[in-house]
Amino acid sequence: PTKAVQVKLVLLGEAAVGKSSLVIRFVNRDFQENREPTIGAAFLTQKCNVDDRSIKFEIWDTAGQERFHSLAPMYYRNAQAAVVVYDVTKAASLDKAKSWVKELQRQANPNIVIALVGNKLDLVQQAEEEDEDAEEGTSTVRQVPQEEAAAYAQESGLLFFETSARTGDGVDQVFSDIAKSIPLE
Ligand code: GTP
Ligand code: MG
């Protein structure tokens, strides 16, 4: 077997959007209803095979609380990939995500692959099921329309996904599409 290519990946985004939950879902196939906020950052690794390539993600899961913002450059410096997370039920979290994207585009490695991820999709699906009369996509729980985030991602050159760390929906796709997008050295 060929040696795995190491890919340094950083997660950024507002507090409580589900960054740690996404990583735990990807690495441990597990979900916790009430997670403690991350302090500083957490480090995890996970291997992933895509096409004929074996990738080992070295993941820095950063803390979203504002008091940790100044630590972020330490984690995104030299990163080959970034996952910028927002919460589809919280409009302000997309604004925060956009400011992280701007910071990455200005300060990080110019070849960095950035994925924009709208998490907590299960809350929208759940609300739609409970309100059978509502037309699809009209849920009041959803505060960020998918088309709006997708259009922003496209014009900014980002990969785009919606996920649920709770159900696992879309989570593996984020990491496998990133793996496919990393330039071969
Ligand atoms: P910080 O470490 O403070 O930056 O937060 P974080 O972005 O790592 O968020 P975390 O993963 O700790 O999740 C915050 C809360 O949201 C927890 O109570 C999670 O259980 C919950 N949560 C995370 N992802 C989802 C999801 O996909 N769906 C639902 N319903 N809840 C989620
Ligand atoms: Mg966390």
Side-chain angles (χ1 to χ4, degrees):
T2 51
K3 195 166 166 290
V5 178
Q6 293 183 5
V7 172
K8 185 178 165 191
L9 180 149
V10 64
L11 279 105
L12 297 164
E14 191 174 81
V17 293
K19 298 177 295 298
S20 299
S21 299
L22 284 168
V23 179
I24 297 294
R25 169 59 74 187
F26 175 57
V27 173
N28 297 336
R29 316 231 141 272
D30 190 19
F31 178 76
Q32 263 176 277
E33 243 10 284
N34 288 297
R35 284 196 64 81
E36 296 289 316
T38 304
I39 302 299
F43 181 73
L44 297 92
T45 66
Q46 176 68 305
K47 284 194 183 141
C48 175
N49 291 312
V50 281
D51 304 332
D52 288 333
R53 291 208 282 164
S54 177
I55 303 261
K56 184 185 177 199
F57 283 112
E58 301 190 317
I59 303 169
W60 285 103
D61 167 26
T62 68
Q65 289 176 35
E66 207 45 49
R67 62 190 165 115
F68 297 114
H69 190 127
S70 61
L71 299 179
M74 246 171 21
Y75 301 108
Y76 64 66
R77 192 171 300 142
N78 305 321
Q80 290 134 286
V83 175
V84 180
V85 185
Y86 67 96
D87 174 346
V88 293
T89 72
K90 209 172 160 215
S93 70
L94 180 63
D95 298 332
K96 184 68 200 182
K98 288 179 180 178
S99 82
W100 278 120
V101 169
K102 248 187 226 152
E103 182 167 337
L104 288 170
Q105 289 179 333
R106 207 172 321 152
Q107 317 262 22
N109 172 352
N111 299 321
I112 192 166
V113 173
I114 306 176
L116 178 70
V117 174
N119 188 42
K120 307 199 186 183
L121 191 58
D122 59 286
L123 295 177
V124 173
Q125 287 162 344
Q126 190 186 336
E128 279 173 357
E129 274 162 35
E130 282 164 12
D131 185 0
E132 290 167 2
D133 300 333
E135 284 176 58
E136 205 186 307
T138 59
S139 163
T140 52
V141 173
R142 181 191 276 277
Q143 286 189 4
V144 180
Q146 185 177 38
E147 314 77 65
E148 181 195 323
Y152 160 72
Q154 192 173 13
E155 75 202 21
S156 309
L158 319 175
L159 301 173
F160 174 65
F161 307 87
E162 287 190 339
T163 60
S164 168
R166 188 165 196 264
T167 65
D169 254 13
V171 176
D172 286 346
Q173 191 80 43
V174 173
F175 293 91
S176 59
D177 282 10
I178 288 173
K180 286 178 200 161
S181 305
I182 298 291
L184 281 165
E185 54 232 58

